[in-house]
Structure formats: C-alpha cells, structure tokens
Amino acid sequence: MTSQTDSASRAPARILDGKAASAALLENLRAEVSAGIGAGRARPGLATVIVGEDPASQIYVRNKRRACEKVGLANHHHELPEAAGQARLLALLGELNTDPAVHGILVQLPLPRGADYDEHAVLAAIAPEKDADGFHPLNQGALLQGRPAPVPCTPRGVMHLLAGAGIELAGKHAVVVGRSNIVGKPVALLLLREHATVTICHSRTRNLAEVVGSADVLVAAVGAPRLVKGAWVKPGAVVVDVGVNRLTDGSLCGDVEFDAAAARASWITPVPGGVGPMTIAMLLRNTVDLAWQL
Ligand code: GUN
C-alpha cells in the first residue's frame, strides 16, 4: 500500500496562475483609475527610466509601459545612454521628484556596469513618496518594521498569489531561497508579517536539500535554472518559483525543476505565467496607491 506522502498517490499540484491573477488585477485597476479620474482625481503617472541597452531590461520596461497604457496611467519615459553617468541620472531623478504629474518613479535594474553608477545612491535619490518599486532604504526600513510603505512589486505579487489561493501562512515553515534586496529579503519579511516561520537560504547554506525539504511554503528566487530539485520538495508543499532563466535554446525555465516538483507539491507557479506577470500588476497598483495616497 502506498503511503499518504507517496507522490504516486497524490493529485498533481494545482497551478497558481499569475497570468489570470494579473489580468484580473489590471482590469480592476483600469476600472478604479477610470472611476477616480471621473471623480476628479489626477491621472496617476509613472516615470520609467532605463539606462543603456540591456535587451532583457528593454523588454521588461516595454511591458511595463504597455501595461500603463492598458490601465490608463500616464507614462513618462526616459532613456539614457550607458555613458550618461551617475550625475546625469541623479539630475533626471531630481526633476522627476518635483514633477507633479509623476507619482511613481522606476529605474530599471541592473544599471550598466560600464560607467560610474552607484545603485544604492540612485535608489536613495528617488523621493520615498514616489518609490513605485519600494526599493528606497526608508521604505525597506518601514517594511522591516512592519509599517505601511510601498512594497517591492514581485514580493507583493507573490503574497497576492498565495492569498488568492487561500493558502494559510500562520505557523507554517516558509523557506526562501535567495537573499536579494528586490525579492528574497522583502518576501521573507512579508511571510514573517503573515506569521510564517521563515528561513532564508543562500549560496553558503549547508544542506540546502534538507532545508528545502522542510518547507511548507517554498519561494525560490535565485536566478539559477532548476537549482531546486523536485525530489527535495516536501509532499503537499506550496512552491513559488520567482526565477526566470533563459536557456541556450531560447526557452524559459524557473529556479525549480517544475515537473518533478509539481508531482509532489499541492500548489505551484509555472514559469512563465506564474510570478512574472504579477510584478507589473503590482507596479501599477503601487503607482495608483502613491498617486492617491491609498
Ligand atoms: N529588475 C529586475 N526586477 C526589477 C524590478 O522589480 N524593478 C526594477 N526597477 N528593476 C528590476
């Protein structure tokens, strides 16, 4: 007789569908923006800033701009050449900080390595009350302390997917693989806010397989193709894969071995179509919140 935890006896994981959740969020935002403007509120405006020619960043920013258009946000777009340098970028941010039509500012990361860019100084130069990405140190500090502030978009999207599926977090062991300021650390804080017991793993973690195997909720955010093996996943766990890795054949894969993990998990995000689309939806949500002080 097979045990309850034998993968062969389990139904396959249910899909956490970020594409559908994102579409619903964008449609709700569109209606909210239209109603707000009808009631006399200012049209929310997002400034997008891209420095250099990185092809992946170009695609990400284009998708963010398209989403603005779809939802009815104004987009103020700025492209700087890689050689522009830190001073010119800071001067642009100074202008955007005081522009009343701009409610949210996004500087696409990573900045080019070539010139004298200092990413921390750039993020700190964005007015905290216009920080659509939630990357300003004051806002990251507020997140640490559990005070209201703009929350980084991908972590906010992860939490929305979990909440939408009715996944209970209080008392669960949540394991986050990855410790970036953009995803790993903020998502760990948000899981903690929901009363999960949180472990953060990284490149120096010993016995990664064992720690992952103890996760009720696993969030993988390292950017390493299929680093997390499906066989490590605890039967019935919830698996959220933030990784988007392009393979040499042009296809995309996540940080988790999808098929093997899906055979054991209760819920899982696909790549693409999981967390990815949520990031853009939450960027626009943050911008509307900032514009209207929600
Ligand atoms: N690069 C990768 N993810 C992000 C993001 O969420 N915001 C910005 N600004 N840059 C990124």
Side-chain angles (χ1 to χ4, degrees), residues 118-158:
D118 174 347
E119 189 176 295
H120 292 292
V122 167
L123 297 177
I126 294 170
E129 66 277 10
K130 294 192 177 187
D131 178 24
D133 260 322
F135 292 165
H136 190 284
L138 273 180
N139 291 327
Q140 296 223 314
L143 178 61
L144 182 75
Q145 296 183 346
R147 290 185 288 114
V151 170
C153 308
T154 302
R156 192 173 179 188
V158 168

PDB file of all heavy atoms in Angstrom, residues 118-158:
ATOM      1  N   ASP A 118      26.144  54.039  -9.136  1.00  0.00           N
ATOM      2  CA  ASP A 118      26.064  53.520  -7.765  1.00  0.00           C
ATOM      3  C   ASP A 118      24.579  53.266  -7.494  1.00  0.00           C
ATOM      4  O   ASP A 118      23.810  54.197  -7.248  1.00  0.00           O
ATOM      5  CB  ASP A 118      26.639  54.571  -6.805  1.00  0.00           C
ATOM      6  CG  ASP A 118      26.462  54.172  -5.343  1.00  0.00           C
ATOM      7  OD1 ASP A 118      25.698  53.225  -5.057  1.00  0.00           O
ATOM      8  OD2 ASP A 118      27.088  54.832  -4.500  1.00  0.00           O
ATOM      9  N   GLU A 119      24.221  51.988  -7.571  1.00  0.00           N
ATOM     10  CA  GLU A 119      22.802  51.620  -7.497  1.00  0.00           C
ATOM     11  C   GLU A 119      22.155  52.080  -6.187  1.00  0.00           C
ATOM     12  O   GLU A 119      21.025  52.588  -6.189  1.00  0.00           O
ATOM     13  CB  GLU A 119      22.698  50.104  -7.649  1.00  0.00           C
ATOM     14  CG  GLU A 119      21.302  49.601  -7.815  1.00  0.00           C
ATOM     15  CD  GLU A 119      21.289  48.097  -8.063  1.00  0.00           C
ATOM     16  OE1 GLU A 119      21.797  47.664  -9.114  1.00  0.00           O
ATOM     17  OE2 GLU A 119      20.786  47.366  -7.193  1.00  0.00           O
ATOM     18  N   HIS A 120      22.870  51.928  -5.096  1.00  0.00           N
ATOM     19  CA  HIS A 120      22.290  52.315  -3.794  1.00  0.00           C
ATOM     20  C   HIS A 120      22.005  53.812  -3.756  1.00  0.00           C
ATOM     21  O   HIS A 120      20.949  54.251  -3.290  1.00  0.00           O
ATOM     22  CB  HIS A 120      23.216  51.912  -2.648  1.00  0.00           C
ATOM     23  CG  HIS A 120      23.308  50.431  -2.486  1.00  0.00           C
ATOM     24  ND1 HIS A 120      22.257  49.661  -2.056  1.00  0.00           N
ATOM     25  CD2 HIS A 120      24.321  49.568  -2.735  1.00  0.00           C
ATOM     26  CE1 HIS A 120      22.609  48.392  -2.041  1.00  0.00           C
ATOM     27  NE2 HIS A 120      23.864  48.302  -2.448  1.00  0.00           N
ATOM     28  N   ALA A 121      22.949  54.611  -4.279  1.00  0.00           N
ATOM     29  CA  ALA A 121      22.758  56.069  -4.285  1.00  0.00           C
ATOM     30  C   ALA A 121      21.604  56.453  -5.202  1.00  0.00           C
ATOM     31  O   ALA A 121      20.838  57.378  -4.898  1.00  0.00           O
ATOM     32  CB  ALA A 121      24.047  56.758  -4.714  1.00  0.00           C
ATOM     33  N   VAL A 122      21.458  55.732  -6.316  1.00  0.00           N
ATOM     34  CA  VAL A 122      20.363  56.031  -7.249  1.00  0.00           C
ATOM     35  C   VAL A 122      19.016  55.740  -6.590  1.00  0.00           C
ATOM     36  O   VAL A 122      18.093  56.566  -6.622  1.00  0.00           O
ATOM     37  CB  VAL A 122      20.534  55.210  -8.552  1.00  0.00           C
ATOM     38  CG1 VAL A 122      19.277  55.247  -9.409  1.00  0.00           C
ATOM     39  CG2 VAL A 122      21.741  55.728  -9.339  1.00  0.00           C
ATOM     40  N   LEU A 123      18.887  54.590  -5.952  1.00  0.00           N
ATOM     41  CA  LEU A 123      17.605  54.234  -5.329  1.00  0.00           C
ATOM     42  C   LEU A 123      17.283  55.186  -4.176  1.00  0.00           C
ATOM     43  O   LEU A 123      16.120  55.537  -3.957  1.00  0.00           O
ATOM     44  CB  LEU A 123      17.637  52.777  -4.848  1.00  0.00           C
ATOM     45  CG  LEU A 123      17.808  51.737  -5.975  1.00  0.00           C
ATOM     46  CD1 LEU A 123      17.895  50.330  -5.402  1.00  0.00           C
ATOM     47  CD2 LEU A 123      16.659  51.825  -6.983  1.00  0.00           C
ATOM     48  N   ALA A 124      18.313  55.635  -3.474  1.00  0.00           N
ATOM     49  CA  ALA A 124      18.099  56.567  -2.359  1.00  0.00           C
ATOM     50  C   ALA A 124      17.753  57.969  -2.843  1.00  0.00           C
ATOM     51  O   ALA A 124      17.239  58.781  -2.073  1.00  0.00           O
ATOM     52  CB  ALA A 124      19.345  56.614  -1.472  1.00  0.00           C
ATOM     53  N   ALA A 125      18.013  58.253  -4.131  1.00  0.00           N
ATOM     54  CA  ALA A 125      17.736  59.588  -4.678  1.00  0.00           C
ATOM     55  C   ALA A 125      16.294  59.716  -5.175  1.00  0.00           C
ATOM     56  O   ALA A 125      15.848  60.808  -5.521  1.00  0.00           O
ATOM     57  CB  ALA A 125      18.703  59.892  -5.821  1.00  0.00           C
ATOM     58  N   ILE A 126      15.571  58.590  -5.220  1.00  0.00           N
ATOM     59  CA  ILE A 126      14.150  58.646  -5.597  1.00  0.00           C
ATOM     60  C   ILE A 126      13.372  59.098  -4.361  1.00  0.00           C
ATOM     61  O   ILE A 126      13.583  58.562  -3.266  1.00  0.00           O
ATOM     62  CB  ILE A 126      13.669  57.251  -6.067  1.00  0.00           C
ATOM     63  CG1 ILE A 126      14.387  56.856  -7.364  1.00  0.00           C
ATOM     64  CG2 ILE A 126      12.158  57.224  -6.238  1.00  0.00           C
ATOM     65  CD1 ILE A 126      14.165  55.406  -7.777  1.00  0.00           C
ATOM     66  N   ALA A 127      12.478  60.086  -4.529  1.00  0.00           N
ATOM     67  CA  ALA A 127      11.679  60.535  -3.381  1.00  0.00           C
ATOM     68  C   ALA A 127      10.926  59.330  -2.806  1.00  0.00           C
ATOM     69  O   ALA A 127      10.256  58.614  -3.564  1.00  0.00           O
ATOM     70  CB  ALA A 127      10.695  61.610  -3.819  1.00  0.00           C
ATOM     71  N   PRO A 128      11.028  59.072  -1.506  1.00  0.00           N
ATOM     72  CA  PRO A 128      10.385  57.876  -0.934  1.00  0.00           C
ATOM     73  C   PRO A 128       8.886  57.826  -1.228  1.00  0.00           C
ATOM     74  O   PRO A 128       8.322  56.745  -1.396  1.00  0.00           O
ATOM     75  CB  PRO A 128      10.627  58.007   0.569  1.00  0.00           C
ATOM     76  CG  PRO A 128      11.730  58.993   0.726  1.00  0.00           C
ATOM     77  CD  PRO A 128      11.776  59.844  -0.509  1.00  0.00           C
ATOM     78  N   GLU A 129       8.251  59.016  -1.340  1.00  0.00           N
ATOM     79  CA  GLU A 129       6.799  59.048  -1.599  1.00  0.00           C
ATOM     80  C   GLU A 129       6.474  58.838  -3.080  1.00  0.00           C
ATOM     81  O   GLU A 129       5.316  58.813  -3.458  1.00  0.00           O
ATOM     82  CB  GLU A 129       6.190  60.348  -1.058  1.00  0.00           C
ATOM     83  CG  GLU A 129       6.636  61.616  -1.743  1.00  0.00           C
ATOM     84  CD  GLU A 129       7.975  62.168  -1.229  1.00  0.00           C
ATOM     85  OE1 GLU A 129       8.670  61.475  -0.467  1.00  0.00           O
ATOM     86  OE2 GLU A 129       8.324  63.306  -1.625  1.00  0.00           O
ATOM     87  N   LYS A 130       7.522  58.647  -3.911  1.00  0.00           N
ATOM     88  CA  LYS A 130       7.301  58.313  -5.329  1.00  0.00           C
ATOM     89  C   LYS A 130       7.969  56.980  -5.692  1.00  0.00           C
ATOM     90  O   LYS A 130       8.165  56.681  -6.865  1.00  0.00           O
ATOM     91  CB  LYS A 130       7.862  59.436  -6.228  1.00  0.00           C
ATOM     92  CG  LYS A 130       7.115  60.758  -6.093  1.00  0.00           C
ATOM     93  CD  LYS A 130       7.511  61.729  -7.196  1.00  0.00           C
ATOM     94  CE  LYS A 130       6.684  63.017  -7.078  1.00  0.00           C
ATOM     95  NZ  LYS A 130       6.919  63.916  -8.221  1.00  0.00           N
ATOM     96  N   ASP A 131       8.282  56.196  -4.706  1.00  0.00           N
ATOM     97  CA  ASP A 131       9.088  54.991  -4.886  1.00  0.00           C
ATOM     98  C   ASP A 131       8.208  53.811  -5.288  1.00  0.00           C
ATOM     99  O   ASP A 131       7.844  52.978  -4.462  1.00  0.00           O
ATOM    100  CB  ASP A 131       9.825  54.726  -3.563  1.00  0.00           C
ATOM    101  CG  ASP A 131      10.669  53.486  -3.584  1.00  0.00           C
ATOM    102  OD1 ASP A 131      11.068  53.052  -4.686  1.00  0.00           O
ATOM    103  OD2 ASP A 131      10.936  52.945  -2.487  1.00  0.00           O
ATOM    104  N   ALA A 132       7.883  53.737  -6.591  1.00  0.00           N
ATOM    105  CA  ALA A 132       6.938  52.721  -7.071  1.00  0.00           C
ATOM    106  C   ALA A 132       7.464  51.301  -6.894  1.00  0.00           C
ATOM    107  O   ALA A 132       6.690  50.350  -6.843  1.00  0.00           O
ATOM    108  CB  ALA A 132       6.624  52.970  -8.541  1.00  0.00           C
ATOM    109  N   ASP A 133       8.776  51.141  -6.796  1.00  0.00           N
ATOM    110  CA  ASP A 133       9.384  49.820  -6.640  1.00  0.00           C
ATOM    111  C   ASP A 133       9.549  49.417  -5.176  1.00  0.00           C
ATOM    112  O   ASP A 133       9.863  48.264  -4.875  1.00  0.00           O
ATOM    113  CB  ASP A 133      10.786  49.826  -7.268  1.00  0.00           C
ATOM    114  CG  ASP A 133      10.813  49.213  -8.663  1.00  0.00           C
ATOM    115  OD1 ASP A 133      10.093  48.224  -8.878  1.00  0.00           O
ATOM    116  OD2 ASP A 133      11.567  49.727  -9.504  1.00  0.00           O
ATOM    117  N   GLY A 134       9.418  50.379  -4.269  1.00  0.00           N
ATOM    118  CA  GLY A 134       9.635  50.071  -2.850  1.00  0.00           C
ATOM    119  C   GLY A 134      11.079  49.720  -2.538  1.00  0.00           C
ATOM    120  O   GLY A 134      11.356  48.940  -1.628  1.00  0.00           O
ATOM    121  N   PHE A 135      12.025  50.316  -3.268  1.00  0.00           N
ATOM    122  CA  PHE A 135      13.449  49.991  -3.079  1.00  0.00           C
ATOM    123  C   PHE A 135      14.193  51.047  -2.267  1.00  0.00           C
ATOM    124  O   PHE A 135      15.377  50.877  -1.950  1.00  0.00           O
ATOM    125  CB  PHE A 135      14.165  49.859  -4.429  1.00  0.00           C
ATOM    126  CG  PHE A 135      13.747  48.664  -5.255  1.00  0.00           C
ATOM    127  CD1 PHE A 135      14.071  48.600  -6.617  1.00  0.00           C
ATOM    128  CD2 PHE A 135      13.057  47.602  -4.690  1.00  0.00           C
ATOM    129  CE1 PHE A 135      13.704  47.503  -7.388  1.00  0.00           C
ATOM    130  CE2 PHE A 135      12.685  46.510  -5.462  1.00  0.00           C
ATOM    131  CZ  PHE A 135      13.009  46.458  -6.812  1.00  0.00           C
ATOM    132  N   HIS A 136      13.550  52.185  -1.970  1.00  0.00           N
ATOM    133  CA  HIS A 136      14.230  53.224  -1.198  1.00  0.00           C
ATOM    134  C   HIS A 136      14.534  52.693   0.211  1.00  0.00           C
ATOM    135  O   HIS A 136      13.705  51.995   0.804  1.00  0.00           O
ATOM    136  CB  HIS A 136      13.342  54.478  -1.112  1.00  0.00           C
ATOM    137  CG  HIS A 136      14.053  55.661  -0.536  1.00  0.00           C
ATOM    138  ND1 HIS A 136      14.314  55.776   0.820  1.00  0.00           N
ATOM    139  CD2 HIS A 136      14.578  56.759  -1.121  1.00  0.00           C
ATOM    140  CE1 HIS A 136      14.967  56.907   1.028  1.00  0.00           C
ATOM    141  NE2 HIS A 136      15.145  57.521  -0.130  1.00  0.00           N
ATOM    142  N   PRO A 137      15.726  53.013   0.746  1.00  0.00           N
ATOM    143  CA  PRO A 137      16.065  52.473   2.067  1.00  0.00           C
ATOM    144  C   PRO A 137      15.044  52.816   3.156  1.00  0.00           C
ATOM    145  O   PRO A 137      14.814  51.988   4.064  1.00  0.00           O
ATOM    146  CB  PRO A 137      17.435  53.089   2.382  1.00  0.00           C
ATOM    147  CG  PRO A 137      17.735  54.069   1.293  1.00  0.00           C
ATOM    148  CD  PRO A 137      16.842  53.764   0.140  1.00  0.00           C
ATOM    149  N   LEU A 138      14.401  53.985   3.085  1.00  0.00           N
ATOM    150  CA  LEU A 138      13.371  54.311   4.090  1.00  0.00           C
ATOM    151  C   LEU A 138      12.184  53.357   3.981  1.00  0.00           C
ATOM    152  O   LEU A 138      11.630  52.919   4.988  1.00  0.00           O
ATOM    153  CB  LEU A 138      12.864  55.743   3.887  1.00  0.00           C
ATOM    154  CG  LEU A 138      13.614  56.866   4.568  1.00  0.00           C
ATOM    155  CD1 LEU A 138      12.945  58.201   4.233  1.00  0.00           C
ATOM    156  CD2 LEU A 138      13.627  56.653   6.084  1.00  0.00           C
ATOM    157  N   ASN A 139      11.800  53.046   2.739  1.00  0.00           N
ATOM    158  CA  ASN A 139      10.658  52.147   2.551  1.00  0.00           C
ATOM    159  C   ASN A 139      11.026  50.706   2.906  1.00  0.00           C
ATOM    160  O   ASN A 139      10.206  49.961   3.442  1.00  0.00           O
ATOM    161  CB  ASN A 139      10.131  52.260   1.118  1.00  0.00           C
ATOM    162  CG  ASN A 139       9.475  53.614   0.881  1.00  0.00           C
ATOM    163  OD1 ASN A 139       8.870  54.180   1.801  1.00  0.00           O
ATOM    164  ND2 ASN A 139       9.602  54.154  -0.320  1.00  0.00           N
ATOM    165  N   GLN A 140      12.274  50.325   2.605  1.00  0.00           N
ATOM    166  CA  GLN A 140      12.702  48.973   3.002  1.00  0.00           C
ATOM    167  C   GLN A 140      12.786  48.885   4.527  1.00  0.00           C
ATOM    168  O   GLN A 140      12.469  47.852   5.112  1.00  0.00           O
ATOM    169  CB  GLN A 140      14.022  48.624   2.322  1.00  0.00           C
ATOM    170  CG  GLN A 140      13.860  48.561   0.780  1.00  0.00           C
ATOM    171  CD  GLN A 140      14.549  47.402   0.106  1.00  0.00           C
ATOM    172  OE1 GLN A 140      15.695  47.099   0.386  1.00  0.00           O
ATOM    173  NE2 GLN A 140      13.853  46.746  -0.805  1.00  0.00           N
ATOM    174  N   GLY A 141      13.178  49.987   5.167  1.00  0.00           N
ATOM    175  CA  GLY A 141      13.194  50.025   6.630  1.00  0.00           C
ATOM    176  C   GLY A 141      11.797  49.924   7.210  1.00  0.00           C
ATOM    177  O   GLY A 141      11.564  49.229   8.204  1.00  0.00           O
ATOM    178  N   ALA A 142      10.844  50.599   6.555  1.00  0.00           N
ATOM    179  CA  ALA A 142       9.451  50.534   7.006  1.00  0.00           C
ATOM    180  C   ALA A 142       8.924  49.105   6.890  1.00  0.00           C
ATOM    181  O   ALA A 142       8.212  48.615   7.783  1.00  0.00           O
ATOM    182  CB  ALA A 142       8.594  51.491   6.181  1.00  0.00           C
ATOM    183  N   LEU A 143       9.301  48.431   5.808  1.00  0.00           N
ATOM    184  CA  LEU A 143       8.879  47.032   5.629  1.00  0.00           C
ATOM    185  C   LEU A 143       9.452  46.162   6.757  1.00  0.00           C
ATOM    186  O   LEU A 143       8.754  45.329   7.340  1.00  0.00           O
ATOM    187  CB  LEU A 143       9.356  46.530   4.260  1.00  0.00           C
ATOM    188  CG  LEU A 143       9.063  45.082   3.907  1.00  0.00           C
ATOM    189  CD1 LEU A 143       7.563  44.818   3.876  1.00  0.00           C
ATOM    190  CD2 LEU A 143       9.670  44.735   2.547  1.00  0.00           C
ATOM    191  N   LEU A 144      10.711  46.408   7.082  1.00  0.00           N
ATOM    192  CA  LEU A 144      11.363  45.666   8.168  1.00  0.00           C
ATOM    193  C   LEU A 144      10.614  45.853   9.489  1.00  0.00           C
ATOM    194  O   LEU A 144      10.454  44.920  10.267  1.00  0.00           O
ATOM    195  CB  LEU A 144      12.812  46.155   8.306  1.00  0.00           C
ATOM    196  CG  LEU A 144      13.660  45.459   9.363  1.00  0.00           C
ATOM    197  CD1 LEU A 144      14.064  44.078   8.883  1.00  0.00           C
ATOM    198  CD2 LEU A 144      14.900  46.281   9.677  1.00  0.00           C
ATOM    199  N   GLN A 145      10.147  47.082   9.714  1.00  0.00           N
ATOM    200  CA  GLN A 145       9.469  47.393  10.974  1.00  0.00           C
ATOM    201  C   GLN A 145       7.970  47.121  10.928  1.00  0.00           C
ATOM    202  O   GLN A 145       7.277  47.351  11.921  1.00  0.00           O
ATOM    203  CB  GLN A 145       9.725  48.858  11.347  1.00  0.00           C
ATOM    204  CG  GLN A 145      11.187  49.136  11.626  1.00  0.00           C
ATOM    205  CD  GLN A 145      11.429  50.570  12.063  1.00  0.00           C
ATOM    206  OE1 GLN A 145      10.565  51.438  11.918  1.00  0.00           O
ATOM    207  NE2 GLN A 145      12.612  50.824  12.601  1.00  0.00           N
ATOM    208  N   GLY A 146       7.469  46.703   9.764  1.00  0.00           N
ATOM    209  CA  GLY A 146       6.042  46.399   9.647  1.00  0.00           C
ATOM    210  C   GLY A 146       5.168  47.629   9.577  1.00  0.00           C
ATOM    211  O   GLY A 146       3.997  47.590   9.949  1.00  0.00           O
ATOM    212  N   ARG A 147       5.739  48.744   9.115  1.00  0.00           N
ATOM    213  CA  ARG A 147       4.943  49.965   8.943  1.00  0.00           C
ATOM    214  C   ARG A 147       4.524  50.104   7.483  1.00  0.00           C
ATOM    215  O   ARG A 147       5.194  49.579   6.593  1.00  0.00           O
ATOM    216  CB  ARG A 147       5.760  51.181   9.388  1.00  0.00           C
ATOM    217  CG  ARG A 147       5.958  51.227  10.885  1.00  0.00           C
ATOM    218  CD  ARG A 147       6.651  52.488  11.343  1.00  0.00           C
ATOM    219  NE  ARG A 147       8.063  52.496  10.985  1.00  0.00           N
ATOM    220  CZ  ARG A 147       8.610  53.342  10.117  1.00  0.00           C
ATOM    221  NH1 ARG A 147       7.878  54.241   9.508  1.00  0.00           N
ATOM    222  NH2 ARG A 147       9.889  53.291   9.853  1.00  0.00           N
ATOM    223  N   PRO A 148       3.407  50.830   7.210  1.00  0.00           N
ATOM    224  CA  PRO A 148       2.945  50.941   5.824  1.00  0.00           C
ATOM    225  C   PRO A 148       3.932  51.703   4.947  1.00  0.00           C
ATOM    226  O   PRO A 148       4.471  52.726   5.364  1.00  0.00           O
ATOM    227  CB  PRO A 148       1.611  51.711   5.931  1.00  0.00           C
ATOM    228  CG  PRO A 148       1.485  52.177   7.330  1.00  0.00           C
ATOM    229  CD  PRO A 148       2.534  51.524   8.178  1.00  0.00           C
ATOM    230  N   ALA A 149       4.166  51.197   3.757  1.00  0.00           N
ATOM    231  CA  ALA A 149       5.099  51.801   2.796  1.00  0.00           C
ATOM    232  C   ALA A 149       4.928  51.022   1.493  1.00  0.00           C
ATOM    233  O   ALA A 149       4.412  49.898   1.518  1.00  0.00           O
ATOM    234  CB  ALA A 149       6.536  51.672   3.296  1.00  0.00           C
ATOM    235  N   PRO A 150       5.364  51.610   0.359  1.00  0.00           N
ATOM    236  CA  PRO A 150       5.324  50.818  -0.878  1.00  0.00           C
ATOM    237  C   PRO A 150       6.172  49.556  -0.734  1.00  0.00           C
ATOM    238  O   PRO A 150       7.284  49.608  -0.212  1.00  0.00           O
ATOM    239  CB  PRO A 150       5.915  51.756  -1.930  1.00  0.00           C
ATOM    240  CG  PRO A 150       6.192  53.058  -1.287  1.00  0.00           C
ATOM    241  CD  PRO A 150       5.896  52.964   0.166  1.00  0.00           C
ATOM    242  N   VAL A 151       5.605  48.448  -1.180  1.00  0.00           N
ATOM    243  CA  VAL A 151       6.254  47.135  -1.045  1.00  0.00           C
ATOM    244  C   VAL A 151       6.793  46.729  -2.408  1.00  0.00           C
ATOM    245  O   VAL A 151       6.100  46.909  -3.416  1.00  0.00           O
ATOM    246  CB  VAL A 151       5.214  46.106  -0.534  1.00  0.00           C
ATOM    247  CG1 VAL A 151       5.764  44.693  -0.610  1.00  0.00           C
ATOM    248  CG2 VAL A 151       4.781  46.439   0.888  1.00  0.00           C
ATOM    249  N   PRO A 152       8.015  46.180  -2.478  1.00  0.00           N
ATOM    250  CA  PRO A 152       8.556  45.741  -3.774  1.00  0.00           C
ATOM    251  C   PRO A 152       7.551  44.854  -4.540  1.00  0.00           C
ATOM    252  O   PRO A 152       6.838  44.038  -3.937  1.00  0.00           O
ATOM    253  CB  PRO A 152       9.823  44.982  -3.384  1.00  0.00           C
ATOM    254  CG  PRO A 152      10.273  45.669  -2.129  1.00  0.00           C
ATOM    255  CD  PRO A 152       8.990  46.010  -1.394  1.00  0.00           C
ATOM    256  N   CYS A 153       7.527  45.064  -5.847  1.00  0.00           N
ATOM    257  CA  CYS A 153       6.429  44.547  -6.667  1.00  0.00           C
ATOM    258  C   CYS A 153       6.376  43.017  -6.734  1.00  0.00           C
ATOM    259  O   CYS A 153       5.297  42.421  -6.610  1.00  0.00           O
ATOM    260  CB  CYS A 153       6.558  45.107  -8.074  1.00  0.00           C
ATOM    261  SG  CYS A 153       6.721  46.901  -8.099  1.00  0.00           S
ATOM    262  N   THR A 154       7.519  42.375  -6.938  1.00  0.00           N
ATOM    263  CA  THR A 154       7.493  40.915  -7.070  1.00  0.00           C
ATOM    264  C   THR A 154       7.073  40.259  -5.747  1.00  0.00           C
ATOM    265  O   THR A 154       6.184  39.393  -5.748  1.00  0.00           O
ATOM    266  CB  THR A 154       8.862  40.398  -7.566  1.00  0.00           C
ATOM    267  OG1 THR A 154       9.148  41.030  -8.816  1.00  0.00           O
ATOM    268  CG2 THR A 154       8.857  38.896  -7.741  1.00  0.00           C
ATOM    269  N   PRO A 155       7.646  40.666  -4.602  1.00  0.00           N
ATOM    270  CA  PRO A 155       7.169  40.104  -3.330  1.00  0.00           C
ATOM    271  C   PRO A 155       5.673  40.361  -3.084  1.00  0.00           C
ATOM    272  O   PRO A 155       4.953  39.478  -2.628  1.00  0.00           O
ATOM    273  CB  PRO A 155       8.028  40.827  -2.289  1.00  0.00           C
ATOM    274  CG  PRO A 155       9.296  41.126  -3.015  1.00  0.00           C
ATOM    275  CD  PRO A 155       8.862  41.468  -4.416  1.00  0.00           C
ATOM    276  N   ARG A 156       5.214  41.569  -3.430  1.00  0.00           N
ATOM    277  CA  ARG A 156       3.778  41.855  -3.252  1.00  0.00           C
ATOM    278  C   ARG A 156       2.953  40.926  -4.139  1.00  0.00           C
ATOM    279  O   ARG A 156       1.893  40.440  -3.740  1.00  0.00           O
ATOM    280  CB  ARG A 156       3.492  43.337  -3.581  1.00  0.00           C
ATOM    281  CG  ARG A 156       2.115  43.780  -3.156  1.00  0.00           C
ATOM    282  CD  ARG A 156       1.875  45.275  -3.316  1.00  0.00           C
ATOM    283  NE  ARG A 156       0.514  45.599  -2.892  1.00  0.00           N
ATOM    284  CZ  ARG A 156      -0.080  46.777  -3.034  1.00  0.00           C
ATOM    285  NH1 ARG A 156       0.580  47.785  -3.569  1.00  0.00           N
ATOM    286  NH2 ARG A 156      -1.305  46.973  -2.624  1.00  0.00           N
ATOM    287  N   GLY A 157       3.457  40.651  -5.346  1.00  0.00           N
ATOM    288  CA  GLY A 157       2.763  39.744  -6.259  1.00  0.00           C
ATOM    289  C   GLY A 157       2.732  38.314  -5.726  1.00  0.00           C
ATOM    290  O   GLY A 157       1.720  37.621  -5.844  1.00  0.00           O
ATOM    291  N   VAL A 158       3.829  37.874  -5.128  1.00  0.00           N
ATOM    292  CA  VAL A 158       3.878  36.523  -4.534  1.00  0.00           C
ATOM    293  C   VAL A 158       2.816  36.409  -3.440  1.00  0.00           C
ATOM    294  O   VAL A 158       2.051  35.432  -3.390  1.00  0.00           O
ATOM    295  CB  VAL A 158       5.287  36.244  -3.945  1.00  0.00           C
ATOM    296  CG1 VAL A 158       5.274  34.983  -3.074  1.00  0.00           C
ATOM    297  CG2 VAL A 158       6.325  36.110  -5.068  1.00  0.00           C
TER     298      VAL A 158
END
